[in-house]
Amino acid sequence: MKGTITRFGLIASGLFTILLAAGCASTDLTSQVNLEVARRGFTRVLVEGNFQSLEHRQIAEEKLCSELARLATCECVKASDVFFPGKQYSFDELKKRFAELGIDAVLTLQPTGGGTSSTYVPQTTQTTGNAQVIGNTITGSSTTQSYGGYNVSKPWSNFEASLWSTTDGEVAWYATAQSGGNAFAGWDDLIKSAAGKTVSKLVTDGVLH
């Protein structure tokens, strides 16, 4: 019985550690629709993660495309798959490539600022114990554990997103967003959260079906 309890305790402890270490982020996004352009409808969207880090760009474009596939009916093309990140393209080259691929809109997500915030977790104590009665004697033991007493740093980032028509360059949808995470979240979690919120808002705003 004791061995069973010990094994269960180890399993529970492991699960708690996994859940605690999981990065979690959320995003607040405000958007506005240009109805004159948005009512045209878009069927093939190129997504661009405008990040200096190639890793972050790929994370953003992958998440945008996966969410478009899940929530919208339009096709998705990742910019990093058709435009080499290390090359500068002229407007005519871009326009020609858009026409060849049948791209009628470009969705861009880019950061506009970021950093970390620090929160102090005050120290608390918890005492647990047990007692046993043998005759007229009571014996027992107790354990006191301390928690907190340290600072927790949480990442945050601001983003800008826009969807514009390749026909004339007019913006159909524009948004700004603020993403924040817990102490275990990384920048990739903030990017994924912002990208997911961007696509879901485009759908709820009626810009993409």
Side-chain angles (χ1 to χ4, degrees):
M1 181 67 177
K2 183 178 180 181
T4 301
I5 294 175
T6 301
R7 286 195 296 271
F8 176 79
L10 289 173
I11 293 171
S13 176
L15 288 174
F16 176 76
T17 301
I18 291 172
L19 291 173
L20 188 63
C24 183
S26 60
T27 298
D28 292 322
L29 183 146
T30 303
S31 62
Q32 188 162 345
V33 180
N34 183 347
L35 294 175
E36 183 179 349
V37 182
R39 66 166 59 100
R40 300 174 188 174
F42 305 104
T43 59
R44 193 169 173 82
V45 177
L46 181 136
V47 296
E48 177 193 18
N50 190 12
F51 295 81
Q52 286 187 333
S53 166
L54 183 58
E55 177 187 6
H56 290 165
R57 173 177 179 168
Q58 292 172 347
I59 289 172
E61 293 179 1
E62 181 64 36
K63 182 64 175 179
L64 288 169
C65 262
S66 66
E67 289 300 293
L68 283 171
R70 187 174 71 89
L71 299 175
T73 58
C74 64
E75 294 183 63
C76 180
V77 177
K78 289 180 282 187
S80 55
D81 285 346
V82 295
F83 296 107
F84 184 66
K87 179 183 177 181
Q88 294 290 329
Y89 292 86
S90 68
F91 176 76
D92 289 338
E93 288 176 319
L94 292 174
K95 193 171 181 179
K96 179 182 178 182
R97 193 70 173 131
F98 290 152
E100 292 172 347
L101 296 171
I103 302 295
D104 50 19
V106 175
L107 173 60
T108 300
L109 177 68
Q110 62 185 22
T112 57
T116 59
S117 61
S118 181
T119 302
Y120 179 73
V121 179
Q123 188 179 62
T124 58
T125 59
Q126 180 180 13
T127 301
T128 58
N130 59 73
Q132 184 178 14
V133 179
I134 302 177
N136 294 324
T137 304
I138 299 177
T139 61
S141 62
S142 64
T143 302
T144 300
Q145 293 179 309
S146 297
Y147 305 91
Y150 50 82
N151 288 307
V152 174
S153 295
K154 302 178 181 181
W156 63 270
S157 184
N158 294 332
F159 297 92
E160 182 180 71
S162 63
L163 180 79
W164 53 276
S165 170
T166 59
T167 303
D168 51 15
E170 291 292 328
V171 176
W173 181 87
Y174 176 78
T176 57
Q178 302 82 40
S179 297
N182 61 21
F184 302 97
W187 298 112
D188 54 339
D189 297 307
L190 301 186
I191 294 169
K192 290 177 183 178
S193 176
K197 191 72 171 183
T198 294
V199 174
S200 64
K201 199 66 166 66
L202 275 165
V203 174
T204 57
D205 284 347
V207 180
L208 296 179
H209 301 292

